[in-house]
Amino acid sequence: MNLEQCAAVTQGAFLSRVQTVPVTEEDKLELYKCPLYSMKEMNEWLSPDLSVLSGNTQDVYVSYDRFDSLPIAREGWVLISLTGQRAVALKQEHVGKLIPSNFAIIEPTGELSPDYLEWFINEHPECRKQLKVATQGSSVAALSIQMLRTLEIILPPMADQIRVGSVYRLLHRKNRLLQEKTILEQQYAKQIIMGYIKEEHK
């Protein structure tokens, strides 16, 4: 089954076409300040390195009359980085953010679980192979929207999709907690060592 048979696949907004650069504080009052979904948010989920959890959210200004036509994040959407070829199923904390054009937006139908799709794109060997082949021979290793629409996916019964997605998220959460534990242990050890050095020089 192709992805387009069980999901709508579109591209995020080109910021040069929608963003307004306010000149003064007064200009800002007439524009909508919209947080931007960026690779930072995606990396916060995908990367085991918690050092990526830093930095401020980027905001863009758009006119109110264009806001309704923009791709604003919803829970249950799945985003794919067109260059990184990784996917994230959006959750409540992402709602309201503007999706830029370096992401493909997948809106699953009722027969496709977002968490399962995230796992399938990120982990299934056949899917990874398809994505790799799709970018071979290109000067810029970026996926196209049309390629994603024709991406062949395996669609088990919904109950099985939910099980796969749940296990994937629990395993990911476990790995993140273990990484956080390691970082905290390293910080604690560093504090103890520095304490010894200060004591020696008193």
Side-chain angles (χ1 to χ4, degrees):
M1 175 182 290
N2 291 341
L3 181 58
E4 65 181 349
Q5 294 177 266
C6 53
V9 184
T10 56
Q11 189 168 2
F14 289 88
L15 296 184
S16 60
R17 300 177 185 174
V18 302
Q19 184 176 11
T20 302
V21 181
V23 179
T24 65
E25 290 299 318
E26 185 176 345
D27 292 332
K28 291 181 181 181
L29 297 176
E30 300 178 2
L31 300 169
Y32 183 83
K33 182 180 178 182
C34 187
L36 185 70
Y37 186 93
S38 67
M39 284 303 301
K40 171 182 173 290
E41 278 84 0
M42 179 168 275
N43 288 334
E44 284 179 357
W45 169 249
L46 294 174
S47 175
D49 181 4
L50 298 185
S51 64
V52 301
L53 302 178
S54 59
N56 297 321
T57 301
Q58 181 182 350
D59 296 316
V60 295
Y61 291 89
V62 298
S63 60
Y64 282 97
D65 59 346
R66 301 193 66 177
F67 181 75
D68 289 340
S69 63
L70 298 178
I72 304 300
R74 299 179 186 176
E75 186 174 4
W77 281 6
V78 178
L79 300 186
I80 300 180
S81 168
L82 294 175
T83 53
Q85 303 173 19
R86 306 294 283 179
V88 166
L90 299 184
K91 299 303 179 185
Q92 183 61 39
E93 60 265 29
H94 303 123
V95 171
K97 294 189 175 184
L98 175 64
I99 309 301
S101 59
N102 54 319
F103 294 102
I105 303 167
I106 302 175
E107 301 177 57
T109 63
E111 61 181 334
L112 177 60
S113 164
D115 288 346
Y116 169 79
L117 182 59
E118 178 187 313
W119 167 83
F120 184 82
I121 291 172
N122 290 340
E123 305 295 340
H124 197 284
E126 286 300 318
C127 183
R128 299 307 306 168
K129 182 179 178 181
Q130 289 183 72
L131 297 179
K132 183 177 180 181
V133 170
T135 56
Q136 284 180 346
S138 173
S139 58
V140 179
L143 297 169
S144 70
I145 299 300
Q146 184 55 38
M147 179 275 157
L148 290 173
R149 287 172 178 158
T150 58
L151 183 72
E152 294 183 9
I153 66 170
I154 300 171
L155 197 65
M158 179 57 73
D160 292 338
Q161 292 183 48
I162 292 174
R163 291 189 189 98
V164 169
S166 296
V167 170
Y168 181 60
R169 288 210 164 252
L170 288 172
L171 180 61
H172 195 97
R173 176 171 171 76
K174 177 185 176 182
N175 290 338
R176 293 297 298 274
L177 289 173
L178 288 173
Q179 178 69 14
E180 184 176 1
K181 177 175 179 285
T182 299
I183 291 175
L184 291 174
E185 288 174 344
Q186 291 172 346
Q187 292 174 345
Y188 180 64
K190 183 178 180 180
Q191 289 176 350
I192 292 177
I193 292 170
M194 294 303 294
Y196 289 154
I197 294 175
K198 289 179 181 178
E199 287 293 329
E200 289 290 330
H201 287 78
K202 279 186 176 181

